[in-house]
Amino acid sequence: MTTTELPVPRWAERVAQVIPLILLPQCVWRLPFAFGFDMGTGTGSIGSLWISVPYVFTLSLLTEALALLSFGLVRGWGEVAPAWVPLVGGRRLHPAVALVPAVAGGLGATLLFGPFTLGALGLGFSFDQFDSGAWELLFRVCVLPVGLWGPLVLVLAAHYGIRRRRTAARVPGPAAGTAAR
């Protein structure tokens, strides 16, 4: 379900495509820590491999899965539930079903990763010393983009809300998504 009731502008589609990509460097940066490699931080192992490997891999996969949900703000499955979804499959979704989690997630990501990104830029809190400038540069390149996650989701959520409001204004009769039975 890629079609939407009103067309999605190219910029919004691109933003949705960029979100998982800006998180990928941080997810890749995390992976060596699972195996006890400290990436020049001098922090050592984060624990037993039986705990660290599943934890880090799950965290990275969960991060990317959450990022992929932003496609719901530019795809048809953010407006009409896919047919395979129990109870609501094939029904038109109220905009709040997508807007509330998108805004909450966007604000949460901004609050969580914004200070982290500012710290990577040298503003606010500082990070521990790295073994070399090369490790520090790699860290900053991998971590800086994650600060865009929240604001980009908020931009997509705002556009989704505006687009859905325009859609509701075009639909005559009872509220959108309701049908006489």
Side-chain angles (χ1 to χ4, degrees):
M1 292 182 58
T2 58
T3 59
T4 56
E5 192 164 332
L6 287 179
V8 174
R10 183 171 289 159
W11 69 263
E13 180 68 34
R14 296 279 190 266
V15 167
Q17 292 170 353
V18 162
I19 290 173
L21 296 176
I22 64 171
L23 295 172
L24 195 56
Q26 184 188 33
C27 290
V28 172
W29 167 264
R30 241 187 249 133
L31 296 179
F33 287 96
F35 299 100
F37 189 70
D38 67 11
M39 301 288 284
T41 62
T43 57
S45 175
I46 62 171
S48 164
L49 289 179
W50 292 102
I51 295 170
S52 65
V53 171
Y55 169 73
V56 170
F57 275 80
T58 300
L59 183 60
S60 293
L61 290 172
L62 182 63
T63 301
E64 285 298 318
L66 289 172
L68 290 171
L69 287 176
S70 62
F71 280 107
L73 299 170
V74 296
R75 297 284 200 283
W77 53 272
E79 296 176 2
V80 177
W84 56 267
V85 176
L87 303 175
V88 295
R91 292 183 187 211
R92 186 162 180 73
L93 299 173
H94 190 278
V97 171
L99 278 175
V100 170
V103 170
L107 289 173
T110 301
L111 292 173
L112 181 64
F113 295 116
F116 193 67
T117 299
L118 290 175
L121 286 170
L123 306 169
F125 71 88
S126 63
F127 294 99
D128 294 332
Q129 295 297 316
F130 287 83
D131 293 345
S132 71
W135 281 119
E136 185 173 1
L137 177 64
L138 180 62
F139 167 77
R140 292 179 191 278
V141 167
C142 290
V143 170
L144 277 174
V146 76
L148 298 172
W149 184 14
L152 290 176
V153 169
L154 291 172
V155 166
L156 281 182
H159 177 264
Y160 174 88
I162 292 167
R163 195 178 77 246
R164 291 295 304 271
R165 182 174 292 159
R166 287 183 189 152
T167 301
R170 285 183 28 188
V171 177
T178 61
R181 293 184 187 242

